[in-house]
Amino acid sequence: DLTHWDLTLIDPVDNTQQRNSTSSKLIRKLSNKLLNKSSANKPALIIDDFEGLIEYSCFSHGDFLVSINNKKIKPSEFTAEKATDYMHSRLQEEGVLHIVAENPSGNDTIINVTIVRPRPNMSYHDLGLIVWNWPFLCVREIREGSIFQHTCIKEGDQISAINDIDCTKLRAKEFAKCVNELPGMEITISLVRRKHRANMSFS
């Protein structure tokens, strides 16, 4: 359903309150495991559930909330309830919502994929690699039969360069034009698989 969205946040587990609780041992163990994998090794608000438009983002249950519209969200300053209120106020006042979350068990990964076009006149659409800005230039879809179908590229990967041409500030249409103008048969795409996940939602 693209007519609404919802994002449920929960506060980080307070280990000091759980220390003497037998029933919470498993929860504490899992929480500690997540926190220990965090790059800063600090507690963070946790994305518990989401629906509507955000289901089409790359968020996952258990991701750590990093920022809302470029403002760092720290548990020392925001409870889950306050962060939710702030999120809705930003969307209402600014007309756009930009959420960055962190995959607590992941790391940024640099990927280079090289393919050779079977025909020199293959266009962007012929290659079957569809991109969009969400909010960065990312892989949106790898179509059935695409020359990229059996490579390691995944939907959501961020495109940083193609044949050493910087793509970090390109819009999707500019990227398509760039691909169509590439000389030669070989195409090398450099991608970043982010530890941080980003989602853009418009009112």
Side-chain angles (χ1 to χ4, degrees), residues 11-13 35 38 40-46 64-65 73-76:
D11 293 307
V13 178
L35 294 178
S38 171
N41 210 20
K42 295 179 180 179
L45 299 182
I46 299 169
F64 291 170
L65 180 65
I73 304 299
K74 302 176 182 179
S76 59

Side-chain angles (χ1 to χ4, degrees), residues 33 37 39 41 44 51 57 59 85 121 132 167 175 182 188:
K33 185 177 181 181
K37 287 183 177 180
S39 59
N41 210 20
E51 60 181 34
S57 73
F59 289 153
D85 290 342
N121 61 343
W132 65 348
C167 296
F175 178 80
L182 287 176
T188 297

Side-chain angles (χ1 to χ4, degrees), residues 160-178:
S160 59
I162 181 167
N163 285 18
D164 294 327
I165 299 171
D166 186 3
C167 296
T168 55
K169 296 181 180 179
L170 291 186
R171 307 299 297 173
K173 288 183 179 179
E174 295 171 327
F175 178 80
K177 181 181 178 182
C178 180

Side-chain angles (χ1 to χ4, degrees), residues 13-54:
V13 178
D14 186 348
N15 290 323
T16 59
Q17 294 180 1
Q18 292 185 342
R19 192 165 293 151
N20 298 321
S21 173
T22 303
S23 63
S24 64
K25 285 184 179 179
L26 179 59
I27 297 175
R28 185 167 68 249
K29 181 178 179 181
L30 292 174
S31 177
N32 285 337
K33 185 177 181 181
L34 287 175
L35 294 178
N36 288 336
K37 287 183 177 180
S38 171
S39 59
N41 210 20
K42 295 179 180 179
L45 299 182
I46 299 169
I47 295 177
D48 185 52
D49 195 14
F50 47 87
E51 60 181 34
L53 178 63
I54 298 182

Side-chain angles (χ1 to χ4, degrees), residues 36-137:
N36 288 336
K37 287 183 177 180
S38 171
S39 59
N41 210 20
K42 295 179 180 179
L45 299 182
I46 299 169
I47 295 177
D48 185 52
D49 195 14
F50 47 87
E51 60 181 34
L53 178 63
I54 298 182
E55 291 181 25
Y56 294 88
S57 73
C58 51
F59 289 153
S60 290
H61 171 79
D63 281 356
F64 291 170
L65 180 65
V66 175
S67 67
I68 298 173
N69 286 23
N70 297 320
K71 179 176 178 60
K72 292 281 187 180
I73 304 299
K74 302 176 182 179
S76 59
E77 300 174 0
F78 287 87
T79 62
E81 183 178 0
K82 287 182 179 179
T84 300
D85 290 342
Y86 180 76
M87 182 169 54
H88 285 273
S89 70
R90 292 304 89 205
L91 180 58
Q92 183 176 3
E93 294 178 20
E94 299 179 16
V96 65
L97 186 64
H98 180 203
I99 301 171
V100 175
E102 179 181 280
N103 173 7
S105 60
N107 293 295
D108 287 356
T109 305
I110 308 299
I111 302 166
N112 288 297
V113 174
T114 299
I115 59 100
V116 177
R117 290 185 279 193
R119 304 189 312 276
N121 61 343
M122 286 186 75
S123 68
Y124 163 76
H125 290 289
D126 293 333
L127 293 175
L129 183 73
I130 309 303
V131 304
W132 65 348
N133 296 92
W134 190 259
F136 309 105
L137 185 67

